[in-house]
Amino acid sequence: MAAELSNLIINALPAELKSSLLARLQPVDLPVGTVLTNPGQTPPFAHFMTSGIASVVTFMSDGVGAEVGVIGREGLVEAINLLGPATAPTTAFIQSEGTALRMPFDDLQQLFLAHTQLSQRILECVQCQGFILSQLAACHGLHEIVERLARWLLMVRDRLGSDRFVLTQEFLAEMLGARRTSVTLAAGSLQRSGLIKYSRGRIHIVDCEGLESAACECYPIVRDLVTRLYSLE
């Protein structure tokens, strides 16, 4: 049974609209690897994440991919698809097992057009994701992999609310757009510095403050963008 946890978009809605929306949503469990959206297709469902993490990845023709977005309980995975008729070239799938509140995408699209308070919150989510994408694009091009790995581990920790999680080396490489050997070296550097413990895909952040110091300047920028979500009037 999917855990009935909270989503920050839904929590930010007025009580009457929140109750009406919750009555139409179904809690679902999302195992690792569950695909939520495919490139070039209108998503069948809309997922308000309540736990875990969804990754948005762009894949090249050779199958190599790089993460361009990460969504936790602060967001709606399919939010960008509500803005117009175009379909996204990305794939969204579950990176860390979790739960969501789900409804047919077409039904949410009607609600999005009918309720200004709902559309306002969803647009805030889309804007935040766009700002984060811009920051991460610069990060991938300008910062060393050790800094990027530290930043990414902190982003995962923030969304999961835990210092311990499971991520395979292959998955880390895909998320960072790097080779597995490069990820191994970067994780080894962080481990030797006493910041993390990493063994067979199991990651334990031992020194959060130290890891923040090792991360690039993009981490506090991205963190603050998410922290301020739905709080500005």
Side-chain angles (χ1 to χ4, degrees), residues 73-95:
R73 59 185 292 268
E74 79 284 351
L76 166 67
V77 177
E78 299 81 4
I80 191 71
N81 298 89
L82 291 169
L83 302 191
T87 54
T90 53
T91 301
F93 61 92
I94 297 301
Q95 172 195 118

Side-chain angles (χ1 to χ4, degrees), residues 57-220:
V57 177
T58 296
F59 287 103
M60 298 294 115
S61 59
D62 61 0
V64 176
E67 185 180 62
V68 295
V70 55
I71 303 168
R73 59 185 292 268
E74 79 284 351
L76 166 67
V77 177
E78 299 81 4
I80 191 71
N81 298 89
L82 291 169
L83 302 191
T87 54
T90 53
T91 301
F93 61 92
I94 297 301
Q95 172 195 118
S96 179
E97 67 176 352
T99 55
L101 294 171
R102 186 180 79 172
M103 70 187 306
F105 179 80
D106 289 345
D107 290 354
L108 181 62
Q109 197 164 40
Q110 294 176 15
L111 294 174
F112 176 81
L113 296 174
H115 296 280
T116 301
Q117 292 164 314
L118 175 61
S119 60
Q120 179 182 351
R121 295 311 186 191
I122 291 175
L123 287 173
E124 289 178 48
C125 173
V126 175
Q127 184 184 54
C128 180
Q129 291 174 6
F131 289 157
I132 290 174
L133 173 58
S134 298
Q135 193 67 38
L136 297 188
C139 183
H140 280 294
L142 299 174
H143 295 146
E144 298 296 330
I145 189 169
V146 173
E147 296 176 302
R148 291 193 285 123
L149 177 59
R151 181 263 301 160
W152 193 78
L153 293 176
L154 289 166
M155 288 175 63
V156 172
R157 179 207 56 177
D158 291 347
R159 283 158 179 78
L160 293 180
S162 174
D163 293 329
R164 298 173 184 266
F165 38 89
V166 178
L167 296 168
T168 65
Q169 187 182 80
E170 181 178 1
F171 202 80
L172 283 170
E174 188 170 272
M175 295 305 98
L176 294 170
R179 295 183 178 183
R180 292 177 62 178
T181 52
S182 299
V183 172
T184 299
L185 292 173
S189 175
L190 294 176
Q191 186 160 240
R192 287 191 298 274
S193 298
L195 305 180
I196 68 169
K197 290 183 179 178
Y198 181 51
S199 177
R200 297 186 178 183
R202 297 185 179 275
I203 296 173
H204 176 203
I205 298 177
V206 179
D207 182 354
C208 289
E209 291 186 3
L211 194 61
E212 288 187 23
S213 297
C216 59
E217 63 193 272
C218 298
Y219 170 65

